[in-house]
Structure formats: C-alpha cells, structure tokens
C-alpha cells in the first residue's frame, strides 16, 4: 500500500509501504494511484514527494507477480498520471531505486537522492526490459550512449554517478525525505513544461544506424545468447528514432515477447534461488535460522599458492586481520609481492586504500595460534593436508574453526585428524578466489551447525554466494563436472573435434567450451588426480581394452597430451595451439587433428559425423544425471543449490537457469528418454545410466522444479 500525509502544510507525502523492498505489487500500485489522486485533488497540496518506508525507495515491480495473473492498475498509466500532474512531484530516493522503482522516479518531475542510494534499470538481469517507460525516458534524459550502457547491463549506479549523468537533480548526505520536502516547497507553483521527460527530444548522434549497429554487435557478443539485452537495444533505438508514443508501443511489444520467454523465467528463478541458498539446511535437521554463527575477527590462510593468495586478499578486503602462512621460502617471497599487488589493483578499481596492513606474513605455522578460523589451502595432496590438520589441531587455541579449501578430498577424513572434528568444514573457493563469487561450504557428518553457520556468514561477508553442501568426492560442482568432461573426451574419440564440442557449448551460452576451459586451467591438474586414482597407464596397447579402466569406458586422450608436455595455455599447447606459453588466444592446431586421426586408427575407431545436438545432449544430460544423483544422496538440499553453484562457479549461462532448471525446461521425460538412449548405445558408461530419482520424478508426473524438494522428501519417505 501507500500512505498519504500532508507535511510542511502544503506538501503531499506519499510513502510506499510494501516490506521488505517496497516492490510495486498490485496493492502498492493501487495505493499510489489513490494517493496521487488525493494529492492532486487537495487544494492545500501545492507539491508532492514520493518516498519509500524503511529507507528504501523501491525495489521495482513485484517479481513474484510475474508468474501469476497480474491484476491492479498497470504501471505505465500510473507513471503517466504522475508526470502529467500540474503539481510538481519529487522522488525522494533512499536505499535502492531499481527497475520499475527508478521508472517511477523518472516519471516524477524532480529526483533527490541520498548519497548512499543506488539506482539502476535492472530489468535486463531478470530477462526483461524497463517497460514502464524506462527505455523511452532514460535516453531522453541522459542521452543514447549512457542510457544504452545502463539499460543493457542493468548495472547499479551510485547517487554521485546518477547526479553526474543527470538522472537525479540533487544528492544529499542528510535525510533525503526532508531534503525532498524542502525541494518540493521550493518548486511549488513553478512551470513544469521543461520537467516532463517524455516530452524531451531524444538527443541523438547523427549516425544512428552506425551507432546501433556497433552497439548491437557488442551486445550480441557479450549476451551469450540472452535475448533481453538485444531487446533493450531495440527499444532504445525506438526512443532515438520514433516519437515518444510510438516508442512506448515498441517498448510494450518487445516486453510482451520477453515477458513470457523461458529466459525470463530462468533469470527470475536464479534471482530467487540465489536468495534461497542462504536458507541452508543439513540432513541432521540443522538450519540457517536455528544455528548461530560465531564472529570471526582474525583468520589465517595456510599455503600461499594461487588459491591461498586469492583467499588472503578476499579475507583482508572484508576488514579481517589475516595471518598468511607459507613455509617454502621462494613461494613465500613471491606470494608477499603478488598479494600486495592484487590488493593494490583491487583498491585502485574501487577507489579505496589497499588493506595492506591487514595481513601479516609468516613462514611458521605456529603464527596461527590465536586466530578464530583457519583456511588451509596447501597443495591438493591428502597426506600433506592430513599433516597440516594434525598440526593445526594442536597449535590453534580452543574453538578455532579449521577449514579446508580442498576441491574434492574427503573433509570428514581431515576432520578425523583433529581433536575437535565438529570444528572442521570445507570452504571450497573458486579461482581466482578474490574475484569468483561462489563458495561451496562443505559439511561432514561431524561438522557442527555452528561451524557451517560461521563459514556461511564469513562467505557472505566476503561477498560470496555461499552454498552449503554435503561431503563427497568433488562435492557438487566438481562431481558433476566429471561426467561432462568424460563425455567431451568420448565425443573426440568418436569423431568430434575440440572446435565442434566447444562451439556447441559456447553457442549454448558457456563462456568457454570444455576444451578451452581445460587449456585455461591446465591439463596437468586432472592428470595428477587420475594418476592418484590409478587410472593412468602409460604406453598401454591399442585395442578396445586400452580404453577400459576399472571396468568402465575410459579415454586416455588427456593423459596422452600430458605425456607430450601439452598442459594447455601455460605450455602454449593443449587441445589448441597458442602463440607462446601463457598466451590466451586458442588457435586451430593441425597437430592435434592428425593426433586424433592416428589415435582413432590405432584403436580401430571409425570416425562418424557428430552434430551439435548430440554434443549438448551427451555433455549436459550426463552432468544433469549426476545432479539428480546428488539430490538423491542428499548432498545438495535442493535443485536451487546445484543451479547456483553452476551459474556462479562454472559459467553455466544464467539465462538457462542452471542445469536442474534447464532439465525441467527441456522436460524430465525427454532427459530420461535421451539418457536411456545413450546408455543403451554406451552401456560401459555408468554416468549415462538414468538415476533412480529422475525415473521416479518422471513417474510421478515430472513436477515443476520448485516442487522437487517436496517430491524428493515424499519419495524418500516411501522408501
Ligand atoms: C506484456 C506483459 C507486461 C506485464 C507487465 C509487467 C509490468 C512490468 C513493467 C515494468 C517493468 C519493470 C520491471 C521490474 O521492475 S523488475 C524488478 C526490478 N527490480 C530489481 O531488479 C531489484 C531486485 N531486488 C534487489 O536487487 C534487492 O532485493 C534489493 C537491492 C532491492 C534489496 O537487497 P537486500 O536488502 O539484500 O534484500 P534481498 O535481495 O535479500 O531481498 C529481500 C527479499 O525481498 C525480495 N525481493 C526483492 N526485490 C523484489 C522484487 N522486486 N519483487 C519481489 N520480491 C523482491 C527478495 O526475494 C527477498 O525475499 P526472499 O526471496 O523471500 O528472501
């Protein structure tokens, strides 16, 4: 709803009241319409201020309404009525003005913002466009190039930038509502002819076609298949080339297409899923709302390789005191320099001071004696990690949480090396750890709810999207990656090329295909793991048995490349060729192609034509199938957890909503049918055997993704 009061005798104050973010629900819109009518008909009211309660102007349209039959007054005429008012209307912007919230403010005649406020036309991030006149008003107010930048990215701007761009008229450090009221008093009775943005001509560069062609090309490239940014460009083009009323028609037309698209559903699902993962639960029944985290003031990082350095920077950036330990002299000196450089570059980007004094360095593990929490980030070797945990358990003060940044090893086994296994959890960061948003918080059977709550809270403080998951080999993300990588190799054996596989995955929306990603992260990483698992057998004879390991199909292609010293970008050769070691641009490598041909001949494989659809089905459905197993095993509490891990940690295209959401969009019956088909064709690939949970969900009528958790619970209780 919206509350109307009269303040300072002649100012009508309209306060949006729809906690928590004053979203423009049907009731809120009706409240505004009624309050505006009241203000305009009250002769004592000479000017109007619109604000939001609890320090937030407005979080935009009510996203929860989007999947429903929308009732109540529509936004566009409501905003037109405000703009057409003959009494000045001032928006008092505190907190956030996003999406429809900013569009409402653009319909007002003036905007006063608090200096800490954030503004943005964020609709594109939800698969939509600013369809309450935003695509038509913003370019008229700040010009086409700046409007295009804001509308196609949905980025948040500070009040200072908004003032510089001309979006707001005044910025204040004081109470924005009080300042807006003063402002409203000062403009009462003044002409509004020059204040209605919809009547402005759109300032437009002379060569509109060239400008939009260039922008469209850039947007297409960065959109990775998302349609909303393209529609945003088209709508702004309408603002630049058509009268306002026709521009509005175009805006509505484009919105109608986006509104019902699968991409909008996927992006809105991600919005809520991102928030849902914060409400974690464990199979023991422990939950986010009943588990109290402990405050962490001082933390330590053990091991200053690539991961440890990033973690130390991320911790210091949150304002914590950090002890950074590296026992090897050479690495120690190098890390100190690198960490300082990373902090300086980060601070420069944000216009802040680098938190250099937050980190103290030591070559002695005893230096962690008084910290509240340790993150171990030594080399991925169980024997080494065991030793570190045994040491930590005796060195650290009572109650110190001991966390491991392992990406796959058994957290419970590490816990068993300590005196207090309940204090041990995994904190699996993604490289580079000070940049990547994802954190998997891994609980073992003995981890206490407080340890999980503390790691989750610390992750949030570090600006991470933290997901609590159970303990198993590879946890959620890397466990699902294994069948995906395996299928990619099998496809190469059968006749595909790295270019074909990567092309299909990139067209699907991944930033990098599987082979480019493997070159980037280094082929030697997986090679070491496979060696440890006893899978690598150099010089094995040709023939089908050479491609069977531990009773299942195995492709030694990656091992063969590593044997040749082809580790990817770092050596200048991998699945692609690079101009020199460390170069980043992958190029077609004739050597690799002849190698694949020879390999097939040696193993008696006749190459066949493989199309993009087969690539997608085999790589993605194998990964999704493992996702169902993870749900079945209770390693992830729900599909949202898996999807958020994939979107934030593995560059899964957000407009596809994550792998489990994608499966629900494809249709569970179809996914099952294709898995059955491929499992029949490749019976020696267990990952292709459809998981029981998938079969049972299909048998129970393929419930929509938001009902899976409930359905899984029910299916479990029937076992
Ligand atoms: C042809 C068909 C036409 C149909 C007509 C459709 C009309 C459309 C017309 C115009 C287009 C306008 C579209 C929009 O405005 S889309 C919404 C744009 N808004 C946003 O993108 C902002 C989203 N919200 C946020 O970014 C943040 O929530 C925040 C910065 C506002 C506050 O952050 P924080 O304090 O961290 O809180 P949370 O994020 O945790 O949120 C709290 C709680 O509130 C829920 N919520 C937030 N925003 C909305 C919203 N806009 N609608 C509904 N609910 C919202 C959020 O989900 C949290 O709740 P929880 O999930 O239960 O935890």
């Amino acid at each position: 709803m919206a509350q109307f009061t009269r303040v300072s005798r002649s100012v009508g104050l309209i306060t949006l009241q729809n906690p928590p973010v004053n979203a423009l629900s049907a009731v809120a819109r009706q409240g505004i319409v009624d309050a505006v009518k009241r203000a305009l008909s009250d002769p004592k009211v000479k000017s109007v201020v619109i604000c939001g309660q609890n320090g937030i102007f407005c979080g935009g349209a009510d996203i929860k309404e989007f999947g429903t039959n929308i009732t109540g007054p529509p936004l566009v005429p409501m905003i037109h009525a405000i703009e057409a008012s003959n009494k000045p209307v001032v928006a008092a912007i505190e907190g956030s003005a996003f999406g429809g919230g900013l569009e409402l403010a653009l319909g007002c005649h003036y905007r006063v913002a608090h200096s800490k406020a954030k503004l943005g036309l964020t609709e594109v991030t939800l698969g939509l466009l600013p369809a309450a006149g935003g695509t038509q008003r913003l370019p008229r107010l700040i010009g086409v190039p700046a409007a295009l930048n804001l509308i196609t990215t949905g980025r948040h701007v500070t009040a200072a930038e908004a003032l510089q761009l001309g979006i707001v008229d005044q910025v204040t450090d004081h109470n924005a509502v009080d300042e807006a009221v003063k402002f409203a008093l000062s403009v009462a009775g003044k002409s509004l002819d020059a204040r209605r943005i919809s009547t402005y001509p759109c300032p437009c560069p002379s060569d509109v076609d060239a400008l939009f062609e260039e922008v469209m090309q850039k947007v297409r490239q960065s959109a990775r298949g998302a349609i909303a940014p393209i529609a945003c460009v088209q709508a702004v083009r309408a603002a630049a080339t058509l009268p306002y009323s026709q521009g509005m028609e175009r805006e509505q037309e484009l919105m109608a297409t986006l509104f019902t698209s699968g991409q909008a559903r996927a992006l809105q699902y991600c919005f809520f899923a991102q928030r849902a993962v914060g409400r974690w639960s464990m199979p023991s029944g422990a939950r986010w709302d009943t588990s109290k985290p402990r405050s962490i003031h001082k933390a330590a990082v053990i091991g200053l390789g690539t991961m440890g350095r990033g973690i130390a920077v991320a911790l210091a950036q949150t304002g914590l005191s950090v002890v950074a330990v590296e026992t090897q002299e050479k690495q120690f000196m190098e890390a100190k320099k690198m960490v300082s450089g990373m902090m300086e570059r980060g601070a420069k980007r944000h216009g802040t001071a680098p938190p250099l004094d937050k980190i103290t360095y030591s070559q002695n593990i005893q230096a962690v004696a008084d910290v509240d929490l340790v993150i171990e980030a030594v080399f991925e070797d169980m024997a080494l990690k065991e030793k570190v945990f045994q040491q930590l358990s005796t060195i650290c003060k009572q109650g110190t949480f001991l966390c491991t940044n392992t990406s796959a090893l058994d957290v419970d086994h590490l816990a068993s090396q300590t005196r207090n296994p309940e204090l041990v959890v995994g904190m699996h960061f993604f490289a580079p750890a000070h940049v990547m948003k994802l954190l998997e918080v891994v609980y073992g059977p003995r981890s206490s709810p407080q340890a999980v709550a503390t790691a989750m809270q610390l992750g949030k403080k570090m600006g991470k999207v933290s997901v609590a998951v159970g303990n198993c080999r590879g946890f959620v993300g890397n466990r699902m990656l294994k069948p995906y990588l395996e299928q990619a190799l099998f496809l190469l054996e059968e006749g595909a090329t790295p270019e074909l596989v990567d092309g299909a995955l990139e067209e699907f929306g991944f930033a990098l295909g599987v082979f480019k990603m493997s070159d980037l992260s280094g082929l030697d990483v997986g090679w070491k793991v496979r060696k440890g698992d006893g899978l690598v057998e150099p010089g094995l004879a040709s023939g089908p048995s050479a491609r069977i390991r531990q009773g299942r199909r195995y492709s030694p292609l990656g091992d063969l490349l590593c044997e040749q010293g082809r580790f990817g970008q770092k050596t200048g050769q991998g699945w692609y060729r690079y101009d020199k070691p460390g170069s980043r641009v992958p190029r077609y490598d004739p050597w690799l192609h002849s190698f694949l041909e020879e390999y097939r001949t040696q193993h008696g494989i006749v190459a066949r034509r493989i199309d993009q659809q087969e690539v997608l089905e085999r790589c993605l459905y194998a990964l999704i199938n493992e996702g169902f197993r993870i749900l079945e095993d209770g390693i992830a509490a729900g599909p949202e957890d898996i999807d958020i891990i994939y979107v934030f940690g593995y560059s899964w295209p957000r407009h596809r909503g994550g792998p489990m959401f994608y499966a629900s969009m494809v249709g569970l019956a179809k996914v099952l049918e294709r898995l059955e088909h491929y499992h029949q064709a490749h019976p020696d690939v267990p990952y292709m055997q459809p998981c029981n949970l998938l079969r049972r969900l299909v048998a129970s009528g393929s419930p929509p993704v938001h009902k899976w958790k409930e359905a899984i619970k029910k299916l479990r209780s029937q076992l």
Side-chain angles (χ1 to χ4, degrees):
M1 61 174 272
Q3 188 190 48
F4 176 83
T5 47
R6 193 151 50 78
V7 296
S8 300
R9 297 164 69 104
S10 63
V11 178
L13 180 64
I14 299 174
T15 309
L16 301 186
Q17 296 180 328
N18 185 17
V21 302
N22 297 321
L24 296 165
S25 63
V27 177
R29 296 195 302 275
Q30 189 62 58
I32 297 172
V33 168
D34 294 344
V36 168
K37 267 193 199 140
R38 201 164 150 197
L40 298 188
S41 62
D42 184 343
K44 294 198 187 96
V45 170
K46 305 296 178 207
S47 53
V48 179
V49 168
I50 302 183
C51 66
Q53 75 169 5
N54 296 335
I56 172 163
F57 180 69
C58 175
D62 185 346
I63 309 165
K64 289 188 178 115
E65 271 185 0
F66 288 170
T68 66
N69 188 14
I70 300 178
T71 57
L75 269 180
V76 170
M78 180 188 99
I79 294 173
H80 274 146
I82 291 169
E83 192 186 54
S85 144
N86 53 10
K87 298 178 184 179
V89 184
V90 184
I93 302 175
E94 296 175 298
S96 316
F98 289 149
L102 179 52
E103 295 183 274
L104 167 65
L106 292 173
C108 297
H109 306 111
Y110 300 94
R111 285 153 294 279
V112 172
H114 188 266
S115 51
K116 295 227 163 82
K118 290 269 170 71
L119 298 86
L121 289 180
T122 49
E123 287 90 340
V124 71
T125 63
L126 297 164
L128 303 174
L129 55 74
T135 66
Q136 304 304 297
R137 285 197 180 89
L138 195 65
R140 285 178 161 79
L141 185 64
I142 65 171
V144 169
L148 273 170
N149 172 268
L150 261 57
I151 293 172
T152 58
T153 61
R155 78 179 173 89
H156 299 175
V157 297
T158 60
E161 188 182 354
L163 183 66
Q164 197 182 25
L165 286 168
I167 299 175
V168 299
D169 303 286
Q170 188 182 310
V171 174
T172 178
D173 287 327
H174 302 130
N175 183 304
V177 180
D178 292 348
E179 293 302 308
V181 169
K182 277 189 219 158
F183 195 103
L185 286 167
S186 75
V187 292
K190 288 199 176 156
S191 165
L192 293 172
D193 289 348
R195 301 303 312 176
R196 296 187 177 97
I197 300 174
S198 71
T199 64
Y200 296 3
C202 186
C204 196
S206 50
D207 198 347
V208 183
D209 288 337
L211 169 76
F212 278 95
E213 211 165 288
E214 192 188 319
V215 171
M216 190 59 103
Q217 224 171 16
K218 277 193 196 148
V219 168
R220 264 190 220 287
Q221 229 167 32
S222 60
R224 298 201 265 140
I227 54 174
I230 314 266
C232 285
V233 178
Q234 290 169 327
V236 174
R237 191 179 205 288
T241 55
L242 298 172
Y244 175 77
S245 61
Q246 286 178 36
M248 281 302 289
E249 278 172 26
R250 183 78 178 120
E251 181 187 274
Q252 298 306 303
E253 228 172 71
L254 289 162
M255 176 64 157
T257 312
L258 295 179
F259 197 71
T260 49
S261 69
Q263 293 197 3
R265 278 176 59 192
L267 287 158
Q268 288 157 29
Y269 163 84
C270 282
F271 176 85
F272 290 115
Q274 189 177 336
R275 282 147 184 87
V277 297
R279 296 188 283 269
W280 56 271
S281 63
M282 286 158 66
S284 64
R287 295 160 48 96
W288 65 285
D289 51 351
T290 51
S291 310
K292 200 168 176 296
R294 218 171 330 125
S295 297
I296 301 298
H297 304 287
K298 191 169 182 184
V301 180
I302 313 283
L304 295 180
T306 312
M307 289 308 294
R309 291 171 200 177
I311 297 168
V313 170
L315 285 168
Q317 283 171 344
T318 65
L320 290 182
S321 296
V322 181
V323 181
V325 177
E326 172 56 62
T327 50
Q328 288 180 24
E329 172 75 17
K330 188 166 169 266
Q331 179 118 305
F332 178 74
M333 299 311 289
E334 201 181 285
K336 271 173 87 169
K337 234 196 289 169
M338 296 282 279
V339 166
S340 301
M342 283 153 77
M343 286 198 281
E344 268 155 11
R345 282 191 297 278
K348 203 169 161 192
R349 260 197 311 278
H350 296 110
T352 53
L356 298 174
D357 59 341
K358 287 284 168 199
I359 303 191
T360 50
Y361 298 88
S362 176
Q363 285 183 267
N364 187 346
I365 196 165
Q366 299 287 341
V368 306
D370 66 341
V371 304
D372 307 311
L373 179 142
V374 181
I375 302 176
E376 163 279 310
V378 300
F379 189 69
E380 194 76 344
D381 175 76
M382 186 49 109
L384 177 60
K385 285 184 193 278
E386 275 175 4
K387 196 171 145 218
V388 171
F389 270 76
Q390 288 159 8
Q391 284 178 306
L392 289 173
S393 186
T394 57
I395 295 167
C396 292
K397 69 178 183 192
Q398 190 67 27
T400 298
F401 294 108
L402 304 181
C403 311
T404 171
N405 176 53
T406 177
S407 58
L409 299 179
D410 186 352
V411 172
D412 191 38
H413 179 74
L414 288 174
S416 73
Q417 306 300 306
T418 69
R419 283 191 295 219
N420 297 95
E422 73 280 4
L423 297 173
V424 176
V425 289
M427 285 184 83
H428 177 208
F429 291 84
F430 289 71
H434 60 305
V435 176
M436 289 289 284
K437 292 277 279 181
L438 180 66
L439 173 68
E440 278 182 320
V441 171
V442 186
Y443 54 81
R446 287 179 282 183
S447 307
S448 70
Q450 186 176 51
V452 177
T454 304
M456 289 293 282
Q457 190 188 53
L458 180 60
K460 193 168 177 191
K461 242 181 152 180
M462 293 165 90
K464 306 292 178 200
V465 179
S466 309
V467 186
V469 300
N471 180 35
C472 65
R473 183 83 191 260
F475 317 129
V476 168
N478 286 344
R479 174 169 161 183
M480 287 170 69
L481 206 58
K482 211 171 157 200
Y484 168 81
L485 298 173
E486 186 184 86
Q487 283 303 314
L489 292 177
F490 293 162
L491 285 160
L492 286 197
E493 290 186 335
E494 293 166 36
T497 62
E499 288 79 5
L500 173 87
V501 175
D502 282 353
L505 294 168
E506 285 164 20
E507 207 164 291
F508 179 79
F510 281 99
L512 289 179
V514 55
F515 292 109
K516 285 184 193 160
M517 183 50 86
S518 164
D519 274 359
L520 174 67
S521 45
L523 275 70
D524 51 328
V525 181
W527 193 35
K528 271 186 198 129
V529 175
R530 293 193 297 279
K531 277 184 183 168
D533 289 345
L535 285 165
V536 178
E537 296 176 26
L540 206 73
S542 54
S545 60
R547 294 188 293 114
I548 301 277
R549 305 278 155 94
Q550 299 173 358
R552 51 202 280 173
R553 181 171 169 188
Y554 178 82
S555 170
L557 279 172
D559 304 338
L560 294 172
L561 258 59
C562 286
E563 280 169 25
Q564 306 257 355
R566 294 178 73 107
F567 292 164
Q569 288 186 7
K570 61 177 112 169
T571 56
Q573 291 169 324
W575 299 106
Y576 295 89
R577 166 176 79 72
Y578 299 83
D579 289 342
K580 57 176 195 301
S583 292
R584 293 182 165 257
V585 183
R587 301 194 190 283
Y588 174 90
D589 190 346
W591 180 90
L592 195 272
H593 287 254
S594 339
F595 160 77
L596 284 177
E597 274 169 32
E598 274 170 37
Y599 173 88
R600 291 184 197 115
T601 313
Q602 193 186 355
H603 291 273
I605 304 168
V606 180
R608 61 183 178 83
R609 210 189 139 269
I610 290 170
D611 61 15
Q612 291 210 338
Q613 184 169 340
E614 182 175 346
V615 172
L616 290 184
E617 286 182 348
R618 284 180 55 183
C619 292
L620 302 185
Y621 294 175
L623 175 146
I624 287 167
N625 198 27
E626 195 59 19
F628 280 111
R629 284 203 185 96
I630 281 171
L631 288 175
E632 193 172 60
D633 297 349
I635 294 294
E640 295 87 355
D641 302 86
I642 297 179
D643 286 333
I644 289 304
I645 286 172
Y646 261 80
V647 166
F648 283 94
Y650 295 83
S651 100
W652 181 283
R654 197 177 165 99
H655 61 269
R656 305 251 190 204
M660 308 319 283
F661 180 87
Y662 176 70
S664 78
M665 292 293 265
V666 170
L668 298 190
K670 162 101 189 282
V671 174
L672 175 61
E673 181 268 309
R674 296 315 288 156
L675 280 168
E676 271 168 346
H677 165 83
Y678 288 118
H679 188 235
Q680 225 164 41
H682 307 276
D684 51 355
V685 181
Y687 280 130
M688 279 300 188
Q689 179 166 18
C691 152
N692 271 340
L693 175 63
L694 172 59
R695 285 190 191 286
R696 299 184 71 187
L697 284 174
V698 172
S700 67
S702 300
V705 69
H706 64 275
K707 297 229 164 111
W708 289 6
K709 238 182 186 170
E710 203 183 301
I712 294 169
K713 223 169 152 186
K714 208 165 131 196
L715 291 173
R716 270 214 192 101
S717 70
Q718 288 165 1
L719 285 179

